[in-house]
Amino acid sequence: MSKTSLALIAAASAATGAAATAVFYSSRNERKVIHEPSAINRDSPNATSPYTPSLPDAPIRSAKELLPPVNPSGLFQYGFPGPVNDLSAQVSLTSSYNRTTRNPNWVAEHITPASLALNNGDRRHSYFVEDASIPEKFRAKLKDYFRSGYDRGHQVPAADAKWSQNAMDATFTLSNMCPQVGDGFNRDYWAHLEDFCRRLTNTYPSVRIVTGPLYLPRRDQDGKWKVSYEIIGNPPNVAVPTHFYKVIFAEDGKTGGNVALGAFVLPNAEISNDKPLGDFEVPVEAVERASGLEFAEKLPVQRRKRLCTEINCSIFVRDYADRHKNLQGPPVRPALPGPAK
């Protein structure tokens, strides 16, 4: 075949290809016009067929380019860093443990007139123990409290779990404890607050209580807000909370019935028994904001009542002192104070 023939064939092929390309792009632009809105007013008598400029095609990338060059989640082949909030369900309490502070995040309990009427547990047969379910390196230890100057303060009191010895024993694990000031707080005002919670069962057939520590800021001399707290143990191991909270759900016992909500925040310090309990009442939302927890997001607003408008929120000091005397038994461990709660 001569060069002239090749040239003619190439020219014809080029013309055919150009025509096909023109048809392809023309049809593609027409399809875009159908789906894309026109800026021209179609009701205008001078309106002509709309024109929509074609957009440049996105560059086609290979599958290799679409895959990220790194895999941060590959770290999990060696383990999950956390945080891990060790959740524990015991017969008398349910708790979430904080491995950083070596204190619980919260401890929940449920008391009723029937549960408090039983007396099958004796605190003289219960002993403070470390929580073996917590990894040893994150565990609060008995030696941390030794000569620390702080009580091993129950979050769920032993007196709320007298219905069985096992129930009472569960309250003596250190995952249910926080360092608390003894005189004037753990053995006094805090104990009166616990008694107040028990007395709620005289009005309500079901009472649920969530208790836990807080680490609240204070304004320093330079005007800045700072969080500062002591750590006990040698080496330092267990944080000393600045405050404690109780969130109370007093249920009327009816399906879908009302729930009286109360929240109290107390400093971990000596408190005079003359101080009204109402001075420590706060909105539940304040405890949520301070703790990072949520307590009643599933409780409809129309079912909520304010506890201290439904009943008289006050402590009975003499009443508790009498009970304290009756409950007091021979000290199990004389080296450390054992509050009767």
Side-chain angles (χ1 to χ4, degrees), residues 4-314:
T4 303
S5 299
L6 288 172
L8 291 174
I9 292 174
S13 299
T16 303
T21 302
V23 170
F24 171 76
Y25 280 102
S26 175
S27 63
R28 186 174 67 172
N29 288 339
E30 287 176 359
R31 285 196 298 270
K32 286 185 177 181
V33 168
I34 292 174
H35 294 287
E36 296 178 3
S38 172
I40 299 177
N41 183 1
R42 297 180 183 275
D43 296 330
S44 170
N46 298 323
T48 59
S49 59
Y51 168 76
T52 302
S54 60
L55 299 175
D57 293 336
I60 299 175
R61 297 180 180 179
S62 66
K64 185 176 181 180
E65 290 178 309
L66 294 176
L67 293 175
V70 296
N71 177 23
S73 296
L75 173 70
F76 299 152
Q77 66 183 301
Y78 307 116
F80 178 67
V84 176
N85 297 308
D86 301 88
L87 190 65
S88 176
Q90 305 293 326
V91 291
S92 53
L93 59 88
T94 300
S95 65
S96 169
Y97 182 79
N98 189 305
R99 293 184 174 186
T100 302
T101 63
R102 273 67 163 178
N103 288 319
N105 294 308
W106 53 264
V107 190
E109 60 171 315
H110 181 211
I111 56 177
T112 66
S115 71
L116 295 179
L118 297 173
N119 194 17
N120 300 321
D122 188 339
R123 65 177 296 117
R124 291 174 297 182
H125 300 152
S126 296
Y127 298 90
F128 292 96
V129 295
E130 298 175 9
D131 191 336
S133 69
I134 307 296
E136 194 275 338
K137 63 181 177 181
F138 300 124
R139 192 182 304 166
K141 299 178 174 61
L142 291 169
K143 66 179 182 179
D144 294 328
Y145 285 86
F146 182 67
R147 294 182 178 176
S148 68
Y150 293 95
D151 283 1
R152 295 164 292 194
H154 286 70
Q155 301 303 281
V156 169
D160 290 3
K162 296 186 299 178
W163 49 271
S164 83
Q165 190 62 48
N166 287 338
M168 181 169 284
D169 289 347
T171 69
F172 279 81
T173 58
L174 292 190
S175 56
N176 182 46
M177 305 289 164
C178 291
Q180 288 186 328
V181 170
D183 289 335
F185 186 67
N186 180 52
R187 305 172 214 167
D188 292 285
Y189 206 96
W190 184 253
H192 306 325
L193 175 57
E194 293 171 337
D195 180 71
F196 164 77
C197 294
R198 286 189 288 272
R199 286 189 286 109
L200 288 174
T201 59
N202 296 332
T203 304
Y204 300 95
S206 173
V207 178
R208 303 181 189 276
I209 308 160
V210 185
T211 306
L214 292 173
Y215 308 86
L216 301 184
R218 292 197 310 175
R219 191 186 292 275
D220 207 350
Q221 294 180 348
D222 59 6
K224 298 179 180 180
W225 290 92
K226 299 178 182 179
V227 177
S228 177
Y229 51 84
E230 184 181 351
I231 300 179
I232 62 173
N234 187 20
N237 194 44
V238 180
V240 179
T242 64
H243 294 73
F244 290 92
Y245 69 84
K246 280 189 180 290
V247 177
I248 301 170
F249 303 76
E251 303 168 342
D252 65 8
K254 302 175 183 177
T255 303
N258 294 329
V259 179
L261 282 176
F264 301 90
V265 172
L266 282 67
N268 188 11
E270 182 178 348
I271 302 174
S272 171
N273 288 331
D274 297 331
K275 190 79 168 172
L277 180 57
D279 288 358
F280 301 108
E281 183 192 11
V282 299
V284 173
E285 293 77 14
V287 181
E288 292 178 333
R289 186 175 184 274
S291 64
L293 307 172
E294 289 186 315
F295 298 100
E297 73 274 13
K298 292 186 178 181
L299 180 63
V301 175
Q302 60 270 22
R303 292 179 55 197
R304 301 186 186 193
K305 300 291 182 180
R306 181 183 164 196
L307 179 65
C308 291
T309 60
E310 298 291 307
I311 55 99
N312 179 24
C313 289
S314 61

